[in-house]
């Protein structure tokens, strides 16, 4: 999925929890696809165990059931798909707030 998105030049923003083990993978992705941006969330948000992909119209939320899995697909549990503009706008607003907050922490 990352290869397809990166090759198309789509701008992607990813919020992650600071994790030394994933930092190598993140550096690889960033060097290959300059249009994919990563920021660390505050450590206080330790319950962040879901992955959200949205385009301000559709949302997919996956439950991460096993962080120890090497394959992304094996780490995921149940998923929810939402096709609703108002809900998508709300989640996009929350994401933008977290993104801005992470920017302030960097500075």
């Amino acid at each position: 999925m990352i290869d397809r998105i990166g090759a198309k030049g789509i701008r992607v923003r990813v919020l992650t929890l600071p994790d030394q083990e994933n930092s190598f993978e993140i550096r690889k992705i960033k060097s290959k696809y300059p249009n994919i941006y990563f920021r660390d969330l505050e450590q206080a948000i330790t319950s962040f165990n879901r992955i959200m992909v949205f385009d301000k119209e559709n949302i997919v939320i996956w439950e991460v059931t096993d962080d120890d899995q090497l394959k992304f697909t094996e780490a995921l549990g149940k998923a929810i798909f939402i096709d609703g503009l108002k809900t998508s706008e709300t989640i996009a607003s929350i994401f933008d707030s977290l993104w801005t907050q992470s920017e302030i922490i960097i500075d």
Side-chain angles (χ1 to χ4, degrees):
M1 178 173 23
I2 289 176
D3 285 331
R4 281 184 276 157
I5 290 170
K8 289 182 180 182
I10 297 170
R11 183 173 180 241
V12 177
R13 298 182 298 167
V14 179
L15 288 169
T16 64
L17 291 175
D19 184 347
Q20 198 64 25
E21 293 178 27
N22 289 334
S23 63
F24 176 73
E25 289 299 320
I26 289 171
R27 282 195 304 273
K28 270 186 6 184
I29 293 168
K30 286 168 68 172
S31 68
K32 190 172 181 179
Y33 304 110
N35 53 313
I36 299 178
Y37 304 90
F38 289 86
R39 289 218 182 129
D40 289 339
L41 285 172
E42 241 183 279
Q43 281 292 83
I45 308 176
T46 56
S47 65
F48 185 76
N49 67 345
R50 284 148 179 79
I51 299 167
M52 292 182 242
V53 178
F54 56 89
D55 61 6
K56 298 194 179 180
E57 290 182 21
N58 302 298
I59 305 165
V60 179
I61 303 172
W62 286 285
E63 177 185 20
V64 177
T65 57
D66 189 353
D67 282 334
D68 295 328
Q69 292 296 324
L70 294 177
K71 290 187 177 182
F72 172 76
T73 53
E74 292 175 2
L76 300 177
K78 296 177 183 174
I80 299 170
F81 177 78
I82 301 169
D83 181 17
L85 184 60
K86 292 296 180 192
T87 304
S88 297
E89 287 175 344
T90 300
I91 291 177
S93 176
I94 293 168
F95 180 90
D96 288 339
S97 294
L98 290 170
W99 186 265
T100 300
Q101 180 182 352
S102 69
E103 184 176 285
I104 292 169
I105 293 169
I106 291 171
D107 295 338

